[in-house]
Amino acid sequence: DQQVKQNSPSLSVQEGRISILNCDYTNSMFDYFLWYKKYPAEGPTFLISISSIKDKNEDGRFTVFLNKSAKHLSLHIVPSQPGDSAVYFCAASAPDFGNEKLTFGTGTRLTIIP
Amino acid sequence: DVKVTQSSRYLVKRTGEKVFLECVQDMDHENMFWYRQDPGLGLRLIYFSYDVKMKEKGDIPEGYSVSREKKERFSLILESASTNQTSMYLCASSSEHGTLGGYTFGSGTRLTIV
Protein backbone atom coordinates (compact mmCIF):
# COMPACT_ATOMS: atom_id res chain seq x y z
CA ASP A 1 0.00 0.00 0.00
CA GLN A 2 1.75 3.09 -1.31
CA GLN A 3 0.88 5.93 1.06
CA VAL A 4 2.95 8.49 -0.84
CA LYS A 5 2.66 8.47 -4.62
CA GLN A 6 4.48 10.25 -7.40
CA ASN A 7 2.52 9.43 -10.53
CA SER A 8 5.01 10.81 -13.03
CA PRO A 9 8.10 8.59 -13.25
CA SER A 10 9.86 11.13 -15.46
CA LEU A 11 9.68 14.77 -16.54
CA SER A 12 11.65 16.78 -19.11
CA VAL A 13 11.83 20.57 -18.92
CA GLN A 14 13.68 23.17 -20.95
CA GLU A 15 16.44 25.04 -19.13
CA GLY A 16 15.16 28.32 -17.69
CA ARG A 17 11.52 27.18 -17.56
CA ILE A 18 9.55 26.06 -14.51
CA SER A 19 9.70 22.44 -13.33
CA ILE A 20 6.66 21.20 -11.39
CA LEU A 21 6.88 17.87 -9.57
CA ASN A 22 3.77 16.43 -7.97
CA CYS A 23 3.10 14.14 -5.05
CA ASP A 24 -0.10 12.71 -3.53
CA TYR A 25 -0.57 11.05 -0.17
CA THR A 26 -3.32 8.99 1.42
CA ASN A 27 -2.51 8.97 5.13
CA SER A 28 -4.36 11.82 6.85
CA MET A 29 -2.00 11.51 9.85
CA PHE A 30 0.91 12.90 7.82
CA ASP A 31 1.63 16.41 8.98
CA TYR A 32 5.13 17.12 7.71
CA PHE A 33 6.39 16.83 4.16
CA LEU A 34 9.80 16.97 2.52
CA TRP A 35 11.50 16.78 -0.85
CA TYR A 36 14.78 14.99 -1.43
CA LYS A 37 17.00 15.05 -4.51
CA LYS A 38 19.14 12.13 -5.63
CA TYR A 39 21.99 12.02 -8.12
CA PRO A 40 23.22 8.65 -9.49
CA ALA A 41 25.64 6.82 -7.20
CA GLU A 42 24.89 9.19 -4.32
CA GLY A 43 22.47 9.12 -1.42
CA PRO A 44 19.44 11.43 -1.45
CA THR A 45 19.95 14.94 -0.06
CA PHE A 46 17.35 17.01 1.75
CA LEU A 47 15.97 19.89 -0.33
CA ILE A 48 13.00 21.59 1.32
CA SER A 49 10.20 20.84 3.77
CA ILE A 50 6.77 22.10 4.80
CA SER A 51 4.60 21.69 7.86
CA SER A 52 0.88 21.05 7.51
CA ILE A 53 0.15 24.37 9.23
CA LYS A 54 1.49 26.12 6.12
CA ASP A 55 0.47 25.96 2.48
CA LYS A 56 3.70 27.30 0.98
CA ASN A 57 7.39 27.33 1.76
CA GLU A 58 10.04 28.97 -0.37
CA ASP A 59 13.83 28.61 -0.47
CA GLY A 60 15.56 30.34 -3.33
CA ARG A 61 14.54 28.71 -6.62
CA PHE A 62 12.54 26.01 -4.80
CA THR A 63 8.95 26.38 -3.57
CA VAL A 64 6.81 23.66 -2.08
CA PHE A 65 3.02 23.98 -2.08
CA LEU A 66 0.71 21.93 0.13
CA ASN A 67 -3.01 21.38 -0.49
CA LYS A 68 -4.23 19.47 2.57
CA SER A 69 -7.82 19.05 1.40
CA ALA A 70 -6.59 17.38 -1.80
CA LYS A 71 -3.74 15.56 0.00
CA HIS A 72 -1.40 16.91 -2.64
CA LEU A 73 1.94 18.67 -2.63
CA SER A 74 4.10 20.01 -5.40
CA LEU A 75 7.65 21.25 -5.84
CA HIS A 76 8.30 24.17 -8.17
CA ILE A 77 11.79 24.90 -9.45
CA VAL A 78 12.22 28.28 -11.14
CA PRO A 79 14.27 28.74 -13.23
CA SER A 80 15.32 25.19 -13.97
CA GLN A 81 19.05 24.58 -14.40
CA PRO A 82 21.00 21.62 -15.84
CA GLY A 83 22.27 20.74 -12.35
CA ASP A 84 18.67 20.14 -11.30
CA SER A 85 18.61 16.95 -13.38
CA ALA A 86 18.16 14.23 -10.76
CA VAL A 87 15.56 11.95 -9.21
CA TYR A 88 13.25 13.75 -6.77
CA PHE A 89 11.52 11.97 -3.92
CA CYS A 90 8.75 13.42 -1.82
CA ALA A 91 8.45 12.14 1.73
CA ALA A 92 5.99 12.48 4.59
CA SER A 93 5.95 11.88 8.31
CA ALA A 94 3.40 11.59 11.11
CA PRO A 95 3.73 12.56 14.79
CA ASP A 96 4.56 9.00 15.88
CA PHE A 97 8.29 8.71 16.65
CA GLY A 98 8.47 12.50 16.70
CA ASN A 99 8.02 12.87 12.95
CA GLU A 100 11.43 11.29 12.42
CA LYS A 101 10.20 8.28 10.46
CA LEU A 102 9.77 9.17 6.79
CA THR A 103 7.61 7.47 4.17
CA PHE A 104 8.98 8.11 0.67
CA GLY A 105 7.31 8.25 -2.71
CA THR A 106 8.44 6.35 -5.79
CA GLY A 107 10.44 9.22 -7.28
CA THR A 108 10.33 11.38 -10.42
CA ARG A 109 13.34 11.61 -12.73
CA LEU A 110 13.72 15.24 -13.82
CA THR A 111 15.76 15.99 -16.93
CA ILE A 112 16.61 19.59 -17.76
CA ILE A 113 17.20 20.09 -21.46
CA PRO A 114 19.87 22.74 -22.25
CA ASP B 1 32.40 17.29 6.48
CA VAL B 2 29.78 15.20 8.24
CA LYS B 3 29.27 11.73 6.92
CA VAL B 4 27.32 8.54 6.79
CA THR B 5 29.61 5.80 5.54
CA GLN B 6 28.45 2.48 4.18
CA SER B 7 31.16 -0.17 4.22
CA SER B 8 30.70 -1.48 0.68
CA ARG B 9 29.66 0.19 -2.55
CA TYR B 10 29.00 -3.07 -4.39
CA LEU B 11 28.49 -6.54 -2.95
CA VAL B 12 27.71 -9.91 -4.52
CA LYS B 13 26.58 -12.76 -2.28
CA ARG B 14 25.11 -16.21 -2.75
CA THR B 15 21.59 -17.35 -1.95
CA GLY B 16 21.35 -18.60 1.63
CA GLU B 17 24.37 -16.68 2.91
CA LYS B 18 24.16 -14.46 5.98
CA VAL B 19 24.98 -10.93 4.82
CA PHE B 20 26.06 -7.98 6.92
CA LEU B 21 25.76 -4.37 5.72
CA GLU B 22 27.54 -1.84 7.91
CA CYS B 23 26.79 1.84 8.38
CA VAL B 24 28.73 4.36 10.46
CA GLN B 25 27.91 8.02 11.11
CA ASP B 26 30.20 10.62 12.65
CA MET B 27 27.57 13.21 13.59
CA ASP B 28 26.51 11.84 17.00
CA HIS B 29 22.98 11.38 15.61
CA GLU B 30 20.42 9.58 17.73
CA ASN B 31 18.35 8.14 14.87
CA MET B 32 19.52 5.71 12.19
CA PHE B 33 17.60 4.08 9.36
CA TRP B 34 17.92 1.39 6.71
CA TYR B 35 16.01 1.76 3.44
CA ARG B 36 16.04 -0.18 0.21
CA GLN B 37 15.50 1.48 -3.15
CA ASP B 38 13.89 -0.44 -6.01
CA PRO B 39 12.69 0.83 -9.42
CA GLY B 40 9.06 1.85 -9.30
CA LEU B 41 8.87 1.36 -5.55
CA GLY B 42 10.96 4.26 -4.27
CA LEU B 43 12.60 4.05 -0.86
CA ARG B 44 11.07 1.62 1.60
CA LEU B 45 11.94 1.56 5.30
CA ILE B 46 13.31 -1.74 6.59
CA TYR B 47 14.29 -0.92 10.20
CA PHE B 48 15.19 2.11 12.24
CA SER B 49 16.73 2.86 15.60
CA TYR B 50 16.32 5.91 17.81
CA ASP B 51 18.82 4.89 20.47
CA VAL B 52 21.59 2.40 21.20
CA LYS B 53 20.23 -1.16 21.45
CA MET B 54 16.78 0.08 20.39
CA LYS B 55 15.19 -0.95 17.11
CA GLU B 56 11.84 -0.61 15.43
CA LYS B 57 10.42 -2.43 12.42
CA GLY B 58 9.78 -0.39 9.33
CA ASP B 59 7.45 -1.28 6.48
CA ILE B 60 9.35 -4.30 5.09
CA PRO B 61 11.32 -5.97 7.91
CA GLU B 62 10.78 -9.58 6.82
CA GLY B 63 14.04 -11.40 6.15
CA TYR B 64 16.13 -8.72 7.86
CA SER B 65 17.41 -7.93 11.32
CA VAL B 66 19.51 -5.07 12.69
CA SER B 67 22.03 -4.37 15.40
CA ARG B 68 22.96 -1.13 17.11
CA GLU B 69 25.53 -1.79 19.82
CA LYS B 70 27.14 1.67 19.55
CA LYS B 71 25.56 5.01 18.77
CA GLU B 72 27.57 5.55 15.60
CA ARG B 73 27.05 2.12 14.01
CA PHE B 74 23.91 0.50 12.62
CA SER B 75 24.17 -2.88 10.95
CA LEU B 76 21.65 -4.53 8.65
CA ILE B 77 21.66 -8.33 8.56
CA LEU B 78 20.14 -10.54 5.89
CA GLU B 79 19.64 -13.76 7.80
CA SER B 80 19.49 -16.02 4.72
CA ALA B 81 19.91 -14.03 1.54
CA SER B 82 17.42 -14.54 -1.29
CA THR B 83 17.37 -13.19 -4.84
CA ASN B 84 14.44 -10.88 -4.05
CA GLN B 85 16.75 -9.02 -1.67
CA THR B 86 18.86 -7.83 -4.59
CA SER B 87 18.56 -4.07 -4.26
CA MET B 88 20.21 -0.75 -3.45
CA TYR B 89 20.46 -0.36 0.33
CA LEU B 90 20.64 3.12 1.83
CA CYS B 91 21.55 4.00 5.40
CA ALA B 92 20.58 7.35 6.90
CA SER B 93 20.88 9.17 10.20
CA SER B 94 19.18 12.16 11.77
CA SER B 95 19.32 14.20 14.93
CA GLU B 96 16.34 14.94 17.15
CA HIS B 97 17.86 18.40 17.49
CA GLY B 98 18.29 19.02 13.78
CA THR B 99 15.96 19.77 10.89
CA LEU B 100 12.85 17.62 11.28
CA GLY B 101 13.14 14.77 8.82
CA GLY B 102 16.46 16.07 7.65
CA TYR B 103 18.22 12.82 7.02
CA THR B 104 21.85 12.47 6.01
CA PHE B 105 22.16 9.48 3.69
CA GLY B 106 25.12 7.30 2.84
CA SER B 107 26.03 6.65 -0.79
CA GLY B 108 24.36 3.26 -0.79
CA THR B 109 25.36 -0.39 -1.19
CA ARG B 110 24.25 -2.16 -4.34
CA LEU B 111 23.72 -5.75 -3.23
CA THR B 112 23.30 -8.58 -5.72
CA ILE B 113 22.22 -12.02 -4.55
CA VAL B 114 23.05 -14.79 -7.02
Side-chain angles (χ1 to χ4, degrees):
Chain A
D1 179 29
Q2 196 77 32
Q3 297 185 68
V4 179
K5 300 177 186 178
Q6 296 174 254
N7 292 318
S8 298
S10 63
L11 177 68
S12 294
V13 174
Q14 207 78 32
E15 181 179 357
R17 306 293 291 267
I18 183 171
S19 295
I20 300 176
L21 295 93
N22 294 304
C23 179
D24 298 294
Y25 62 95
T26 57
N27 188 343
S28 57
M29 298 302 292
F30 288 148
D31 65 353
Y32 195 75
F33 305 89
L34 307 93
W35 286 93
Y36 277 78
K37 174 180 179 179
K38 185 181 185 300
Y39 293 119
E42 294 182 14
T45 54
F46 169 71
L47 199 54
I48 192 169
S49 62
I50 187 167
S51 164
S52 60
I53 62 172
K54 294 186 172 183
D55 53 19
K56 177 182 172 182
N57 188 28
E58 199 169 344
D59 183 2
R61 296 186 298 113
F62 302 92
T63 303
V64 56
F65 295 91
L66 176 62
N67 182 332
K68 289 185 289 294
S69 60
K71 293 191 175 70
H72 177 84
L73 66 155
S74 61
L75 175 68
H76 292 210
I77 306 173
V78 181
S80 300
Q81 299 174 354
D84 296 330
S85 294
V87 177
Y88 290 77
F89 292 97
C90 66
S93 69
D96 58 333
F97 298 105
N99 280 101
E100 284 294 341
K101 177 188 160 191
L102 298 182
T103 299
F104 284 85
T106 51
T108 296
R109 180 177 302 279
L110 175 65
T111 303
I112 305 302
I113 305 162
Chain B
D1 195 17
V2 293
K3 266 189 190 174
V4 174
T5 304
Q6 295 184 230
S7 54
S8 303
R9 200 61 181 266
Y10 298 95
L11 210 52
V12 180
K13 295 290 183 180
R14 295 194 180 278
T15 302
E17 274 193 72
K18 190 168 187 176
V19 180
F20 293 84
L21 302 183
E22 305 289 344
C23 175
V24 177
Q25 50 97 0
D26 63 2
M27 297 164 284
D28 201 35
H29 282 175
E30 298 82 13
N31 309 311
M32 295 189 76
F33 308 84
W34 275 106
Y35 284 84
R36 62 179 281 179
Q37 181 190 359
D38 299 289
L41 296 175
L43 277 68
R44 294 180 292 164
L45 181 63
I46 305 170
Y47 267 97
F48 64 105
S49 167
Y50 52 90
D51 202 352
V52 176
K53 296 194 186 293
M54 304 300 287
K55 60 183 180 183
E56 294 287 341
K57 291 180 180 179
D59 300 315
I60 51 163
E62 297 78 18
Y64 303 94
S65 63
V66 289
S67 171
R68 193 164 180 204
E69 295 296 319
K70 293 185 178 181
K71 190 176 185 179
E72 67 270 19
R73 187 180 295 271
F74 192 36
S75 303
L76 179 69
I77 304 154
L78 285 66
E79 298 290 344
S80 178
S82 64
T83 54
N84 63 10
Q85 291 178 310
T86 292
S87 185
M88 168 69 81
Y89 289 86
L90 290 160
C91 175
S93 71
S94 71
S95 171
E96 61 186 31
H97 306 294
T99 302
L100 197 59
Y103 289 4
T104 300
F105 278 91
S107 298
T109 295
R110 184 161 294 283
L111 175 65
T112 303
I113 307 298
V114 297

